[in-house]
Amino acid sequence: MATGIIKQIFEDKWGEFKEKYPIRPTVLSEVKKMLTCKDMSEGYSKFCCPTCNEVRYVGFTCKSRFCTSCGRKATEQWVEKLS
């Protein structure tokens, strides 16, 4: 699966960054969730088409506000609620 540019930057630099700077536990938790978003080893759903029997596995999302994918969805829902 393709990795977004933001997630790739975190994968490449996060270990080095967190060793240099003090980071709040909440931030550590949110970044960890973001880095494992849609990772099949963290769990997945299996979908099977009843017509053609094609099977698709979809990794669980992290639902982190920090994730560029999940956070965006939460922001859009929040904006919709305010409208």
Side-chain angles (χ1 to χ4, degrees):
M1 177 180 281
T3 301
I5 188 72
I6 302 294
K7 188 172 181 178
Q8 188 63 52
I9 291 168
F10 270 91
E11 287 173 350
D12 293 345
K13 302 293 183 182
W14 180 242
E16 180 183 328
F17 182 86
K18 70 180 180 179
E19 287 181 16
K20 283 186 178 180
Y21 303 100
I23 300 169
R24 294 177 297 155
T26 303
V27 174
L28 289 171
S29 172
E30 293 298 310
V31 171
K32 181 181 177 193
K33 282 195 245 178
M34 184 261 305
L35 290 174
T36 60
C37 187
K38 299 179 186 172
D39 184 346
M40 297 292 222
S41 67
E42 296 292 316
Y44 58 88
S45 291
K46 176 182 173 182
F47 297 95
C48 183
C49 177
T51 307
C52 68
N53 292 325
E54 179 183 349
V55 177
R56 176 172 261 179
Y57 297 92
V58 179
F60 293 148
T61 58
C62 65
K63 297 172 184 60
S64 169
R65 61 186 174 185
F66 199 70
C67 180
T68 54
S69 176
C70 299
R72 178 177 174 214
K73 183 177 178 182
T75 301
E76 288 173 354
Q77 290 173 343
W78 176 74
V79 168
E80 185 66 30
K81 187 177 175 182
L82 288 178
S83 296

